């Protein structure tokens, strides 16, 4: 390898660091949970965890672990195959049918991750005569998936229904055969819920279909955790749902597309991340299946999550911190500059609270924040401790 190339790469890294944008990974020395053991220069420390997608606290649930262990005994560790060669176990099919039933869709297809589900869903369904209309704040995996499709692309400003309508009109004027609107159900950086009833009404008026990425909703939002279509009342007007098993549903890994039968059948034939990537490991599939079963009846955990969300949001606001409004367990504390977000994250770490600063390119420049997430794995006392830590750290840094 040439020195010149490595110097060029190092210069890019130096630039990232100089702009305060370098992301550093901290190592967790135990299971995911409301409190986590974090490795540090001072040895292991136990911190309150406010930044996992472990909304219902199922990532370390004993029944999920037992199901994964049981599947390892019954089905082995790995598949060493893609699905269509010799990688489809009864377990995988059970998981697909369970998530399809939960979301009231004909069928579902499981991928190794929702990044793959979103990466693979558009290209087989939408050809060059078609139009994909995408919210500007959609997750990177939707952006990449749309890029891979040959369809014409249209982008509307986040949740701006006038802009969406303009795109639908334009797509019609451009002669689109089929139109598909793609949106996150919950925008993960802001915690906003998509305006699904309005989106579906526009879709109906202009003859479009609707795809919702419900990664930050399936399992914990809406009746029985059926996600944003249930939460907003849009229900079965949403045609295609993509989601993950890597957050609320056990936090292992795996993604899915749930939709009408012909859509799922075609994805099984043509979706490239499905055709050309290894099958989900049996213990992961079994853990996800158990987590889904638990989540479907976990009204108690959903109620606890809602209580924590209200309590934490109220505490932060009473302390004088600037949050974005919302109803989901994602509560961003807005700080502006990347350096301030990093400094506050460090000050909170010193006070026993684990959070992550988010800054460009994950969020726009000047909109750096600490994105906090509530979890049913926390207690009400934990939430109060976290609020006190934010107040204290905010004062120490002159933010409050
Ligand atoms: C909205 C959204 N879509 C897709 C993904 C990707 O999910 P997975 O981790 O299963 O690849 C994420 C995860 O960060 C997400 O937040």
């Amino acid at each position: 390898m040439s020195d010149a190339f490595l110097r060029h790469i190092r210069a890019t890294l130096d630039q990232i660091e100089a702009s305060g944008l370098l992301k550093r990974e901290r190592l967790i020395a135990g299971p995911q949970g409301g409190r986590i053991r974090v490795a540090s220069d001072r040895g292991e420390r136990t911190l309150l965890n406010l930044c996992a997608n472990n909304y219902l606290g199922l990532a370390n649930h004993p029944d999920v672990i037992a199901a994964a262990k049981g599947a390892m005994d019954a089905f082995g560790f790995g598949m060493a195959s893609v699905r269509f060669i010799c990688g489809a176990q009864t377990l995988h099919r059970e998981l697909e049918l369970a998530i399809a039933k939960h979301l009231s869709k004909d069928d579902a297809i499981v991928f190794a991750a929702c990044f793959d589900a979103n990466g693979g869903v558009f290209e087989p369904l939408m050809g060059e005569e078609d139009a994909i209309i995408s919210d500007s704040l959609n997750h990177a995996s939707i952006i990449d998936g749309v890029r891979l499709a040959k369809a014409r692309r249209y982008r509307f400003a986040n949740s701006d229904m006038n802009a969406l309508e303009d795109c639908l009109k334009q797509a019609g004027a451009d002669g689109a055969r089929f139109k598909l609107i793609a949106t996150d159900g919950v925008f993960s950086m802001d915690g906003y819920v998509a305006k699904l009833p309005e989106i579906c009404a526009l879709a109906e008026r202009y003859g479009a279909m609707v795809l919702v990425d419900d990664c930050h909703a399936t399992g914990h939002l809406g009746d029985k955790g059926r996600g944003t279509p249930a939460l907003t009342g849009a229900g079965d007007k949403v045609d295609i749902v993509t989601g993950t098993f890597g957050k609320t549903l056990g936090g292992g890994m795996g993604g899915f597309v749930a939709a009408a039968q012909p859509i799922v059948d075609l994805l099984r034939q043509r979706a490239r991340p499905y055709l050309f990537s290894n099958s989900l490991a049996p213990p992961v599939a079994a853990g996800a299946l158990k987590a889904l079963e638990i989540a479907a009846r976990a009204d108690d955990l959903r109620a606890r999550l809602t209580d924590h969300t209200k309590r934490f949001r109220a505490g932060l606001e009473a302390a004088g911190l600037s949050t974005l409004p919302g109803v989901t367990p994602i509560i961003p504390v807005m700080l502006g500059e990347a350096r301030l977000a990093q400094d506050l994250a460090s000050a909170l770490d010193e006070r026993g609270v684990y959070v992550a600063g988010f800054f460009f390119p994950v969020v726009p420049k000047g909109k750096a924040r600490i994105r906090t997430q509530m979890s049913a794995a926390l207690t009400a006392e934990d939430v109060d401790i976290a609020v006190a830590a934010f107040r204290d750290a905010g004062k120490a840094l002159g933010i409050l």
Side-chain angles (χ1 to χ4, degrees):
M1 176 156 307
S2 79
D3 279 354
F5 181 68
L6 290 180
R7 271 200 306 278
H8 162 69
I9 298 296
R10 275 195 208 102
T12 306
L13 285 167
D14 291 345
Q15 206 177 14
I16 293 172
E17 178 151 27
S19 334
L21 302 178
L22 194 70
K23 292 180 276 302
R24 291 189 171 84
E25 295 179 7
R26 286 177 287 174
L27 300 181
I28 297 172
Q32 186 62 273
R35 285 173 190 265
I36 45 174
R37 290 202 325 271
V38 177
S40 77
D41 300 344
R42 292 176 269 160
E44 282 180 19
R45 302 164 57 229
T46 297
L47 302 179
L48 261 182
N49 183 12
L50 300 192
C51 57
N53 304 303
N54 185 24
Y55 295 112
L56 292 185
L58 301 185
N60 193 29
H61 191 290
D63 294 352
V64 173
I65 292 169
K69 283 182 178 166
M72 193 110 81
D73 292 338
F75 290 91
F77 170 70
M79 287 314 301
S81 171
V82 299
R83 282 284 292 271
F84 80 95
I85 299 181
C86 58
Q89 292 174 317
T90 49
L91 200 51
H92 296 97
R93 195 59 196 132
E94 238 186 294
L95 181 59
E96 288 173 342
L97 293 174
I99 190 70
K101 184 162 177 244
H102 186 69
L103 299 175
S104 305
K105 296 292 179 209
D106 291 351
D107 202 352
I109 171 172
V110 164
F111 292 76
C114 188
F115 207 104
D116 288 340
N118 288 338
V121 67
F122 296 100
E123 192 253 347
L125 301 180
M126 305 302 287
E128 53 194 338
E129 310 91 327
D130 304 322
I132 304 171
I133 301 158
S134 185
D135 189 289
S136 63
L137 283 194
N138 277 342
H139 189 260
S141 53
I142 295 189
I143 295 169
D144 288 5
V146 172
R147 274 191 197 138
L148 292 170
K150 293 204 172 68
R152 268 180 196 256
R153 298 170 217 150
Y154 302 81
R155 206 167 79 120
F156 60 99
N158 178 233
S159 291
D160 181 336
M161 293 300 105
N162 292 327
L164 170 57
E165 185 162 14
D166 288 345
C167 289
L168 287 162
K169 282 182 185 159
Q170 189 60 51
D174 293 342
R177 178 183 56 175
F178 298 113
K179 307 181 202 79
L180 175 66
I181 303 168
T183 180
D184 283 9
V186 173
F187 294 96
S188 55
M189 289 302 129
D190 296 337
Y192 296 152
V193 177
K195 297 174 180 168
L196 293 186
E198 290 96 322
I199 290 173
C200 292
L202 283 172
E204 212 169 322
R205 189 172 322 146
Y206 290 91
M209 303 169 283
V210 178
L211 177 149
V212 172
D213 169 348
D214 235 4
C215 278
H216 284 276
T218 313
H220 63 281
L221 292 184
D223 182 44
K224 305 291 172 216
R226 294 198 174 97
T228 55
L231 180 75
T232 61
D236 60 9
K237 292 204 169 81
V238 172
D239 301 287
I240 302 173
V241 178
T242 70
T244 184
F245 298 109
K247 300 189 196 295
T248 304
L249 299 178
M253 59 195 310
F256 61 84
V257 179
Q261 197 65 58
I263 292 178
V264 173
D265 290 349
L266 183 62
L267 292 176
R268 231 180 264 291
Q269 301 305 315
R270 295 263 172 88
R272 291 166 69 82
Y274 180 84
L275 291 174
F276 300 110
S277 185
N278 197 29
S279 208
L280 210 56
V284 174
L289 189 58
K290 178 55 75 175
L292 174 59
E293 184 191 314
I294 297 170
R297 47 183 165 74
D299 286 344
D300 53 342
L301 296 179
R302 277 184 285 277
R304 190 187 304 166
L305 181 63
T306 304
D307 288 348
H308 287 354
T309 299
K310 288 182 182 158
R311 191 181 187 98
F312 190 54
R313 183 176 276 289
L316 291 177
E317 285 164 10
L321 286 156
S322 165
T323 61
L324 292 181
V327 296
T328 73
I330 296 173
I331 307 167
V333 178
M334 303 305 286
L335 295 154
E337 293 313 312
R339 187 71 73 188
L340 191 54
Q342 284 176 322
D343 289 349
L344 184 56
S346 301
L348 284 162
D349 183 285
E350 286 301 312
R351 289 159 178 80
V353 175
Y354 188 104
V355 292
F358 284 73
F359 37 83
F360 185 81
V362 181
V363 295
K365 276 189 178 147
K367 294 204 171 173
R369 65 199 65 183
I370 284 178
R371 180 184 72 171
T372 65
Q373 290 163 287
M374 286 291 100
S375 167
L378 298 165
T379 64
E381 193 195 355
D382 291 336
V383 175
D384 293 343
I385 292 171
V387 169
F390 262 94
R391 191 182 293 115
D392 195 44
K395 280 184 185 152
L397 291 180
I399 300 168
L400 295 174

